[in-house]
Amino acid sequence: MSFYIKCYLSAFREHRHWTLVALVPVMLYLIVAAVRVDNFLITQDFSYSGEVRIAMSHRPVDTLTLDALLTDPDRLFLDTFALRQLQQRLEFQPQIHELPTSQGLKRLAHGSMHLSSRPDSRLRLTYTGSHVHIGETMVDFYSQLLVQRVEAGAARHSDTAAAPSSLKPVGPLTTTGVASFWSAERLPRAILVFVLSLLAVVLLIGILELSDPSFKSERQIARYLDLPVLGSMPDARQLARHLEETQE
């Protein structure tokens, strides 16, 4: 057994430059991943007028100002009742094959949904992530929820002296594919590709070594011929390398 291990280690040292081939699949994976669309930007714009008030679901009479909601949009996105409704809507989407759990949906809403103000009295609701169908469903759901909450807030905060408030969607949802040059999610996959490629190179060296019919030692020649070995010539390649190193 030790003889075969020594033979393999010798073959590995001889072909160690082949290990650089393992970097080729990793580079190809990173190049393809860099040009492939793997993230989506889904937006819905709104126009508003007046003093917009948003109804709170857990309090039947309280409302929230638009500035307060822009400061902390999770009051809308992480509303418990809203998350339940969103979970139910996702379950009825046939194109969504892998549904997030309740906690996963909460993390997704917190990390991927954004509400920002735009010029000319406009708002923008944005989803940023890799799940296009989930993102479109979430933006559509929160768009309808925001309009409903504004209407309910206007009814709760009725002020005859103030101008009537309104909030309406502007145009349809827009979905834009984005190709990111680098993402931390690719690192484990790149490492896996490199390890598998390196194992393939190591296996190939072992196969070539086992399929090589040449003798590897004097003892192997003696066993094959059933004759004693009287002498042997040194490896000329090692002598040549040694001479080159001494000359340098």
Side-chain angles (χ1 to χ4, degrees):
M1 185 66 180
S2 61
F3 170 75
Y4 291 106
I5 294 176
K6 291 179 181 179
C7 291
Y8 177 80
L9 292 177
S10 176
F12 183 81
R13 285 192 296 268
E14 183 179 356
H15 302 290
R16 61 181 178 272
H17 57 279
W18 287 13
T19 55
L20 296 176
V21 179
L23 296 174
V24 175
V26 179
M27 295 176 64
L28 290 176
Y29 164 73
L30 293 177
I31 291 173
V32 172
V35 299
R36 185 174 61 90
V37 173
D38 57 354
N39 274 290
F40 298 91
L41 187 68
I42 305 170
T43 60
Q44 174 65 66
D45 289 342
F46 300 88
S47 64
Y48 66 93
S49 60
E51 186 181 356
V52 176
R53 291 275 181 168
I54 299 94
M56 305 294 292
S57 65
H58 58 282
R59 294 182 179 177
V61 295
D62 287 353
T63 59
L64 194 67
T65 64
L66 182 58
D67 291 336
L69 183 62
L70 289 172
T71 303
D72 187 12
D74 281 347
R75 294 189 180 186
L76 176 69
F77 299 142
L78 301 185
D79 182 88
T80 304
F81 183 69
L83 287 173
R84 290 175 186 169
Q85 290 181 315
L86 177 59
Q87 185 79 37
Q88 292 174 358
R89 179 174 292 194
L90 290 173
E91 291 174 356
F92 287 99
Q93 300 298 319
Q95 65 271 30
I96 300 176
H97 304 290
E98 187 175 350
L99 291 172
T101 62
S102 57
Q103 289 298 322
L105 183 60
K106 188 175 181 179
R107 290 192 297 268
L108 184 63
H110 173 72
S112 61
M113 296 300 301
H114 309 279
L115 183 66
S116 59
S117 60
R118 312 291 294 177
D120 301 329
S121 298
R122 292 202 175 191
L123 297 177
R124 173 165 291 180
L125 189 65
T126 306
Y127 165 87
T128 305
S130 57
H131 305 284
V132 59
H133 298 303
I134 293 179
E136 290 175 346
T137 303
M138 292 178 70
V139 172
D140 180 66
F141 171 79
Y142 282 115
S143 298
Q144 297 178 15
L145 180 64
L146 183 59
V147 172
Q148 293 172 2
R149 293 286 177 86
V150 170
E151 293 175 352
R156 293 181 186 181
H157 190 76
S158 58
D159 189 354
T160 56
S165 61
S166 65
L167 184 139
K168 298 179 180 179
V170 178
L173 295 178
T174 59
T175 302
T176 305
V178 180
S180 56
F181 181 76
W182 170 251
S183 174
E185 297 177 355
R186 299 175 191 166
L187 182 59
R189 298 175 185 174
I191 294 175
L192 178 61
V193 171
F194 175 72
V195 171
L196 293 178
S197 302
L198 188 60
L199 289 176
V201 171
V202 170
L203 182 62
L204 178 61
I205 293 175
I207 293 174
L208 292 177
E209 177 64 20
L210 291 176
S211 61
D212 185 6
S214 61
F215 296 110
K216 304 299 187 302
S217 67
E218 296 86 351
R219 183 184 299 179
Q220 194 176 16
I221 297 174
R223 287 181 177 179
Y224 182 79
L225 298 177
D226 196 20
L227 293 173
V229 177
L230 302 179
S232 62
M233 295 291 294
D235 190 349
R237 291 175 297 180
Q238 294 183 0
L239 289 175
R241 275 198 298 267
H242 180 69
L243 290 175
E244 291 177 356
E245 292 175 356
T246 53
Q247 289 175 0
E248 292 177 357

